[in-house]
Amino acid sequence: MHKSNYIILLLVFFTTLSWSQELSNKQLEHLVETYKKDIRGPYYRIKWFCKDGSIREPRDPCPDSIGGGIQHASFKESAINLRKTNHLFFGDILAAAEKDAFLDKTNNYSRLKQYQIGKYLASVDDGWILRKGQYYRGAIQSEDEEAWGKDFFEWLLKNDNLLQSNYYLIRQALKDIPHNGDSNIAQLMRSQSKIISEEYVPFMDLRIKIHGKPEAADVDAVKTFARKNQSKLSTNLKRDFGELIETMEKYYAPIDFDKLESDLKGVSVINEATKKIMAFIQDNKNNESSASFSSNIANILNTIRLHINSFDKSDDKLILLDISNELEHTLLSQLQDWKTETLYHNLEKINTLVCAAMGTGLLENWEYQAIEEAIGSQLAKDELKVDELNDVLSVARSAVEWSASMVKANYQKDVDIYTAFEPLAYSFIDDRVRSSIALNLGETVSELGSFVAKATNINNTVMSIGNQSAIRGLNPGYAKGELVVVDGNPDLVEVSTNKIYIFEKPPADLKPVAGIMTVSEGNLVSHVQLLARNLGIPNAALSYENLKDLKKYSGKMVFYAVSNKGNVVLKTEDDMSHVEQNLFSKQQRSKNVIAVPVDQIRLDKKKVVNMRDVDAKDSGKLCGPKAANLGELKKLFPDQVVEGLIIPFGIFRSHMDEAMPGENKSYWAYLNDTFSKANEMQSEGASEDAVEDFQLKALEKLHKAIIKMPLDASFLKDLKSNFKSVFGDKIGDVPVFLRSDTNMEDLKEFTGAGLNLTLFNILDEAEILNGIKRVWASAYTERSFKWRQKYLSNPENVFPSILIIPSVDVDYSGVMITKGINSGNDDDLTVAFSKGAGGAVDGQSAETRLITEKTHVLLAPARQSDYIRLPKTGGTKEYIATFESPILNNKNIEDIREIAKEVRKKLSEESVNNQAFDVEFGFKDDKLWLFQIRPFVENKQAKSSDYLSAIAPKLDKNLKIKLSTSI
């Protein structure tokens, strides 16, 4: 078929689709390709758009009598409908947009962010959907776009709260939305170098340099390269090199102080911010040393942010923000000239860059204060102890991660949507990070990490990659398996139990794996992290650069170990020592298998139980530990624990004893026959994969059958009666949580955290009754089965009970471990909190703190962009999160200390050997509510492993290092 006919057919296909239906990613891919090949892209025709709302033909301009108008392209019907079905805005024309609609606040500013992503794609992919449409004359009028942009920002900046809570996003938008004859020159430089390297491979090394460690000397390097390769370059490549050199010369041009002074005179108010900028201009026209010059800029960026809302006029704010972006650009081009010779100079530079990160929106002010206090206070000393230096390194690494996480928090959701149909979009976040202070901060912290590694002998051995000081162990353990490096959405990856995975971020519902490394570690107390800690799965954090460097090893068999001091070993199977090979003998690995105790289980109790009538002694007998322990807590803390109902093991088992449709046997017999058949297959020599495949298919059938299972009439009557008496209202009028609570959870060596289903805030009676069956059935999902099959010797003996509790619409919620996970101190507390309900347990980027008896240290701020609340009408309602203030206040922290003290005191009879606890709780109007408590289970084998102890460095705690030491 002729190409033009194919394009016409595709356009007909897309315009005749039922546009009430959301387009699939495959359909979006096709649509993008058709736009790329169309001389008008997503546009239809040029029209006049008049002030009175009328639309006229190109040769019939809007008359002055109706207010005039502007001319630009209209959109194809496919592009218009795409906005309705998928909320996607391809080829957006600013002059055609309503300000409120473009800001798109109700969708977390998605349309504005899509405009930025679209501009990025156009810069790296020859116009992207406007590959040919960019030459469609008159489609976009630059002067109208710029006028609209200025008007948009002056409107936007009237809202002080919006600017305070979205400072980073608004500064970024100023770089992309035309409003002052400006352009995102840093992004242009990177995209031009990328395009050249793809056309001419020998340029790749220079392109990597420009992307990873840019400096002014790159201009001469590119000129020299172009001159030496002149004879090999096509006419187009010669033009591309000329454009890149011109862009780079603009990028590295010295700051224009006269222009800066002129811009500042446009501000109508003189205050601390404008005075500081004017003093900077006067003091630096002759330029100072890079360190002092950069430090001055960082302070001004900080000052502008702190004082921006003291200006009443939005046009004053716009001028100041543009100056802020201009100063950031100057700072980025200057930083490579700032060389650090001593430890003091390195810490000074880190401190300056952290200040600049706050000034550019990558960090919030309260976060900056926490970091500056930890690092800045050390600069007054002559020398540091090893522990102090390691603490500084930890805080500095955190500053890098928090900064990068701010970019992800703002853009990840929209980037993920675009990446699903346009893979090039995935690099947008990396591009933003590289064009920010975070790149230089990361480099400087990496230098500190290398210095500390040498000084303290905490060296990683991770293949042969560079910058290994960014790698740090989170959980001790060792593993052998195929290495899989996932540079993209982890939720699309089907994981295997015998492989080692490197993710950019850990998936919330991770199935069992041999080992894991992540760029974004989530939080210390998420279910994924707790499972890894419990089961001795080696777990470490690394930088995104490390991930990219390790991609070449993906698919190789490797050995991976993390010591209890946090150093990491990753080597190929061929490089394993004899000792390391012996770790994987059958005798060594068999120690991990655990049996679910069923000798005391009570299946005779077939009535709904009031949670007040159980305590910790009933765990594993009448019900699971969630309900038993919460019943115990209700006795100990009656005002801080809700009422509850329990559907015990016996009710589940009585339903499982009924006939399973189409099987001529009961559900329970079908379950046991499945495991018996699997054992037979194993004894007959069937492969592990074949046995697992058989079990998964059989359990999937059981899962579906349980969901369709009829509920016993006497049970329903009993449940409804208890609902009324315990919750004070009939079923269907009280929103509740349904929490799976199995006898496999909280065993001495197995936590089972988060493996089965919890249903949030269900109100409708039919949904509650169906939810009971869904929770029962969740014990037989693939993920739940794989975790327990891997670590339990008798997985067929898993019994689910259900805990039903009324919903509490908490303001924020989270998890507390009654010990310092990182510090190792049993008297400390590790807490992680997110806004809304269900906080921290599913791997959200939560506010994490180490709380000691008298102090509290911020380990990580929240970077979760959304959260849920629990309306009285049932279900959940999603809200947008911002980060300008901490989640926990001082009263909350004091309440946490107090509740931890009471938990330790009142549960001391049940605990042994200083047992730590994992507590889920939340705050509503500053009142603390307890939702769950369980033992905190760590893998003793991993912690006591002779091998892991052998590879851990021996630290001299008395060692002191002078700040004057060369770095």
Side-chain angles (χ1 to χ4, degrees):
M1 183 185 291
H2 193 275
K3 247 183 198 177
S4 60
N5 291 335
Y6 174 70
I7 292 171
I8 291 169
L9 279 175
L10 274 175
L11 284 172
V12 170
F13 167 69
F14 283 114
T15 53
T16 55
L17 274 173
S18 172
W19 286 103
S20 61
Q21 185 177 349
E22 185 176 3
L23 266 65
S24 68
N25 289 321
K26 200 69 180 172
Q27 290 170 321
L28 289 169
E29 284 178 29
H30 284 304
L31 186 58
V32 166
E33 288 306 311
T34 60
Y35 286 160
K36 286 181 179 180
K37 295 168 185 175
D38 192 308
I39 59 170
R40 295 181 180 179
Y43 305 136
Y44 177 49
R45 291 179 60 197
I46 306 295
K47 299 275 190 178
W48 278 99
F49 295 84
C50 307
K51 286 284 179 67
D52 67 351
S54 61
I55 301 174
R56 295 176 174 239
E57 294 300 314
R59 297 187 180 183
D60 183 21
C62 306
D64 292 338
S65 60
I66 62 171
I70 57 175
Q71 191 181 54
H72 56 75
S74 58
F75 287 90
K76 288 185 171 69
E77 186 180 354
S78 58
I80 293 170
N81 284 315
L82 193 60
R83 298 179 173 200
K84 301 171 186 173
T85 59
N86 293 63
H87 199 69
L88 291 175
F89 298 82
F90 287 177
D92 222 344
I93 298 173
L94 297 176
E98 293 290 334
K99 291 191 284 288
D100 260 327
F102 179 80
L103 182 62
D104 201 15
K105 185 177 179 181
T106 55
N107 292 290
N108 200 8
Y109 314 101
S110 176
R111 185 172 175 183
L112 183 154
K113 295 171 186 177
Q114 288 184 52
Y115 180 82
Q116 295 177 278
I117 294 168
K119 287 197 77 169
Y120 169 74
L121 289 170
S123 74
V124 298
D125 192 31
D126 191 20
W128 192 48
I129 54 168
L130 293 173
R131 183 164 296 168
K132 292 188 176 179
Q134 60 190 313
Y135 307 112
Y136 183 28
R137 186 179 174 190
I140 298 175
Q141 306 285 348
S142 60
E143 62 275 15
D144 291 334
E145 297 293 279
E146 191 169 321
W148 185 94
K150 190 172 188 299
D151 189 44
F152 171 74
F153 284 117
E154 289 183 354
W155 164 80
L156 180 69
L157 295 173
K158 290 177 183 176
N159 189 330
D160 288 354
N161 291 334
L162 191 67
L163 179 56
Q164 182 179 357
S165 57
N166 291 277
Y167 191 78
Y168 171 76
L169 178 63
I170 291 171
R171 279 185 88 258
Q172 292 300 304
L174 281 159
K175 297 178 181 181
D176 292 314
I177 296 173
H179 64 282
N180 191 24
D182 42 16
S183 64
N184 194 335
I185 193 167
Q187 185 184 90
L188 180 62
M189 180 174 73
R190 287 189 300 279
S191 62
Q192 286 175 335
S193 64
K194 177 179 183 292
I195 289 166
I196 291 174
S197 68
E198 288 170 351
E199 290 293 318
Y200 192 62
V201 175
F203 186 67
M204 183 59 74
D205 287 345
L206 256 179
R207 176 243 168 144
I208 291 170
K209 170 70 169 60
I210 292 168
H211 280 233
K213 207 164 184 178
E215 57 183 337
D218 295 341
V219 182
D220 286 336
V222 173
K223 286 179 179 177
T224 302
F225 182 93
R227 186 172 62 252
K228 287 183 176 178
N229 291 271
Q230 182 85 1
S231 61
K232 301 172 187 176
L233 302 179
S234 66
T235 302
N236 285 341
L237 272 172
K238 289 176 183 176
R239 181 204 64 210
D240 291 343
F241 268 104
E243 291 175 353
L244 173 60
I245 290 167
E246 184 181 348
T247 300
M248 294 179 74
E249 286 176 336
K250 285 181 183 176
Y251 182 80
Y252 288 109
I255 187 170
D256 188 339
F257 283 104
D258 290 335
K259 180 182 181 300
L260 195 62
E261 191 171 7
S262 174
D263 290 342
L264 190 61
K265 287 177 180 176
V267 179
S268 62
V269 175
I270 297 175
N271 64 11
E272 185 176 344
T274 53
K275 286 177 182 177
K276 268 197 175 183
I277 299 171
M278 185 55 72
F280 168 75
I281 293 170
Q282 299 306 320
D283 292 345
N284 289 281
K285 279 190 174 180
N286 297 321
N287 215 337
E288 296 183 9
S289 68
S290 292
S292 176
F293 188 69
S294 298
S295 180
N296 286 337
I297 293 178
N299 284 323
I300 290 173
L301 291 171
N302 195 306
T303 302
I304 289 174
R305 181 174 185 185
L306 291 175
H307 290 84
I308 192 68
N309 275 333
S310 67
F311 295 88
D312 294 328
K313 293 183 178 180
S314 57
D315 52 350
D316 285 346
K317 294 179 187 178
L318 181 56
I319 293 171
L320 263 296
L321 288 171
D322 280 337
I323 288 174
S324 175
N325 274 335
E326 180 64 28
L327 288 173
E328 180 191 11
H329 166 77
T330 300
L331 178 59
L332 291 172
S333 64
Q334 288 285 322
L335 280 170
Q336 293 301 331
D337 293 332
W338 185 357
K339 308 300 181 186
T340 57
E341 297 177 357
T342 66
L343 175 58
Y344 177 87
H345 292 137
N346 176 273
L347 296 181
E348 182 186 40
K349 186 175 181 180
I350 290 173
N351 211 35
T352 296
L353 292 174
V354 169
C355 177
M358 182 273 173
T360 57
L362 291 169
L363 298 171
E364 299 293 350
N365 186 41
W366 68 274
E367 299 165 3
Y368 163 63
Q369 296 299 331
I371 297 170
E372 205 278 335
E373 182 180 344
I375 298 176
S377 60
Q378 305 295 355
L379 288 170
K381 300 179 180 179
D382 293 327
E383 59 185 14
L384 296 178
K385 297 176 183 176
V386 168
D387 287 349
E388 290 175 325
L389 190 54
N390 272 313
D391 287 344
V392 168
L393 176 59
S394 177
V395 171
R397 281 171 169 166
S398 295
V400 178
E401 184 172 339
W402 303 355
S403 297
S405 295
M406 180 66 82
V407 184
K408 295 172 186 175
N410 275 273
Y411 293 109
Q412 191 72 62
K413 186 173 181 180
D414 292 281
V415 165
D416 285 346
I417 290 169
Y418 269 66
T419 301
F421 60 84
E422 176 49 88
L424 287 172
Y426 185 72
S427 299
F428 174 83
I429 289 175
D430 187 46
D431 185 79
R432 290 281 150 168
V433 172
R434 287 179 179 281
S435 63
S436 75
I437 292 298
L439 179 65
N440 302 91
L441 180 58
E443 288 174 356
T444 312
V445 172
S446 182
E447 288 176 7
L448 176 63
S450 298
F451 173 81
V452 173
K454 288 177 185 175
T456 61
N457 295 317
I458 302 183
N459 285 308
N460 297 313
T461 309
V462 178
M463 300 300 188
S464 56
I465 67 170
N467 294 322
Q468 294 193 21
S469 63
I471 302 171
R472 64 194 186 282
L474 301 174
N475 185 67
Y478 53 82
K480 185 176 76 169
E482 180 187 335
L483 182 66
V484 180
V485 182
V486 181
D487 188 5
N489 188 346
D491 299 325
L492 304 177
V493 178
E494 184 63 34
V495 301
S496 171
T497 58
N498 55 4
K499 294 182 181 179
I500 295 162
Y501 291 86
I502 300 180
F503 293 116
E504 188 181 349
K505 58 179 179 179
D509 59 347
L510 182 68
K511 295 177 183 128
V513 295
I516 182 173
M517 297 176 79
T518 58
V519 175
S520 301
E521 63 185 78
N523 69 71
L524 292 171
V525 296
S526 69
H527 282 151
V528 169
Q529 297 286 13
L530 291 181
L531 280 166
R533 197 171 188 90
N534 167 206
L535 300 169
I537 296 172
N539 185 7
L542 74 172
S543 72
Y544 186 56
E545 294 300 320
N546 296 148
L547 180 146
K548 289 194 290 187
D549 289 343
L550 288 168
K551 283 172 76 172
K552 61 186 173 186
Y553 300 103
S554 193
K556 294 184 180 297
M557 288 296 294
V558 299
F559 170 73
Y560 171 40
V562 177
S563 83
N564 50 17
K565 291 286 177 62
N567 56 309
V568 178
V569 172
L570 184 69
K571 59 175 71 172
T572 62
E573 184 181 30
D574 294 340
D575 291 332
M576 289 174 68
S577 68
H578 183 66
V579 171
E580 289 162 348
Q581 290 169 351
N582 284 342
L583 294 172
F584 299 91
S585 67
K586 286 186 179 179
Q587 185 179 2
Q588 284 274 3
R589 303 307 284 178
S590 64
K591 295 177 185 175
N592 287 329
V593 180
I594 305 151
V596 183
V598 289
D599 53 318
Q600 297 186 54
I601 196 164
R602 286 189 56 191
L603 301 178
D604 59 318
K605 184 67 176 176
K606 299 178 182 178
K607 292 287 186 180
V608 175
V609 178
N610 188 326
M611 191 182 74
R612 286 175 176 263
D613 297 332
V614 303
D615 55 32
K617 294 190 293 291
D618 294 298
S619 178
K621 301 172 185 176
L622 198 68
C623 58
K626 285 191 185 83
N629 290 337
L630 199 61
E632 181 89 11
L633 283 182
K634 183 67 177 173
K635 290 181 173 67
L636 300 174
F637 307 100
D639 294 333
Q640 290 170 297
V641 178
V642 295
E643 301 293 339
L645 294 175
I646 301 165
I647 301 175
F649 298 140
I651 293 177
F652 164 74
R653 177 57 191 271
S654 66
H655 281 80
M656 290 291 282
D657 284 337
E658 296 296 323
M660 181 172 168
E663 289 297 322
N664 199 28
K665 63 179 76 169
S666 70
Y667 297 90
W668 189 252
Y670 175 88
L671 172 66
N672 281 275
D673 289 350
T674 294
F675 284 100
S676 295
K677 175 64 176 173
N679 289 335
E680 284 178 28
M681 292 174 67
Q682 283 178 325
S683 63
E684 292 169 0
S687 70
E688 191 176 317
D689 288 344
V691 174
E692 184 177 276
D693 185 60
F694 161 74
Q695 288 174 300
L696 287 175
K697 286 177 180 176
L699 291 178
E700 183 182 11
K701 185 175 182 178
L702 178 63
H703 179 273
K704 290 177 180 177
I706 292 174
I707 289 175
K708 294 178 181 177
M709 171 193 287
L711 293 174
D712 178 74
S714 62
F715 161 63
L716 292 176
K717 183 179 179 181
D718 184 30
L719 178 66
K720 291 176 183 180
S721 172
N722 275 278
F723 233 90
K724 180 72 175 174
S725 62
V726 174
F727 296 149
D729 221 327
K730 64 183 177 65
I731 190 170
D733 287 348
V734 182
V736 294
F737 274 46
L738 300 182
R739 306 197 68 169
S740 174
D741 190 20
T742 70
N743 63 329
M744 76 166 180
E745 298 175 42
D746 302 344
L747 303 177
K748 192 175 181 181
E749 298 291 338
F750 186 80
T751 175
L755 292 186
N756 299 316
L757 189 63
T758 289
L759 295 175
F760 278 62
N761 206 41
I762 306 176
L763 180 65
D764 181 73
E765 178 181 341
E767 282 190 45
I768 291 172
L769 299 180
N770 190 52
I772 290 169
K773 295 182 287 184
R774 288 174 60 199
V775 172
W776 280 343
S778 72
Y780 307 107
T781 59
E782 180 182 355
R783 178 172 182 259
S784 180
F785 165 75
K786 281 188 172 180
W787 276 105
R788 67 178 195 260
Q789 178 73 1
K790 187 174 177 69
Y791 295 100
L792 302 182
S793 61
N794 57 339
E796 70 276 13
N797 283 324
V798 171
F799 287 83
S801 62
I802 298 177
L803 172 63
I804 305 176
I805 56 174
S807 303
V808 180
D809 183 24
V810 289
D811 302 313
Y812 34 92
S813 57
V815 178
M816 168 176 66
I817 308 298
T818 58
K819 73 173 289 182
I821 294 180
N822 275 358
S823 69
N825 190 331
D826 289 340
D827 296 326
D828 293 345
L829 306 171
T830 307
V831 299
F833 260 75
S834 300
K835 291 182 179 180
V841 297
D842 285 332
Q844 297 102 322
S845 182
E847 181 177 308
T848 309
R849 292 178 181 271
L850 178 71
I851 300 178
T852 68
E853 187 178 350
K854 294 182 179 178
T855 65
H856 56 93
V857 178
L858 180 67
L859 301 178
R863 285 290 187 266
Q864 190 71 23
S865 62
D866 53 13
Y867 64 97
I868 58 171
R869 296 295 297 260
L870 308 174
K872 291 180 180 179
T873 52
T876 59
K877 186 173 181 181
E878 192 170 300
Y879 291 82
I880 297 166
T882 54
F883 316 118
E884 69 275 15
S885 57
I887 293 174
L888 293 174
N889 58 45
N890 288 332
K891 181 183 182 303
N892 298 154
I893 291 170
E894 196 52 50
D895 287 346
I896 289 170
R897 285 194 185 103
E898 190 60 34
I899 202 72
K901 189 187 301 180
E902 290 298 307
V903 164
R904 285 167 170 154
K905 177 183 173 183
K906 293 181 177 181
L907 296 180
S908 59
E909 293 179 8
E910 303 295 329
S911 64
V912 291
N913 297 327
N914 256 352
Q915 172 67 62
F917 294 95
D918 166 358
V919 185
E920 290 183 23
F921 61 117
F923 287 93
K924 172 70 174 173
D925 298 326
D926 276 344
K927 178 182 176 179
L928 190 153
W929 287 92
L930 292 164
F931 300 129
Q932 179 177 312
I933 188 167
R934 66 196 330 159
F936 175 60
V937 184
E938 296 184 274
N939 187 276
K940 294 180 176 60
Q941 183 182 345
K943 290 187 73 177
S944 62
S945 163
D946 292 338
Y947 170 76
L948 295 180
S949 297
I951 66 170
K954 306 299 183 284
L955 297 179
D956 179 3
K957 292 186 177 181
N958 296 317
L959 178 65
K960 293 181 180 180
I961 300 170
K962 290 189 176 296
L963 266 65
S964 58
T965 307
S966 296
I967 196 164

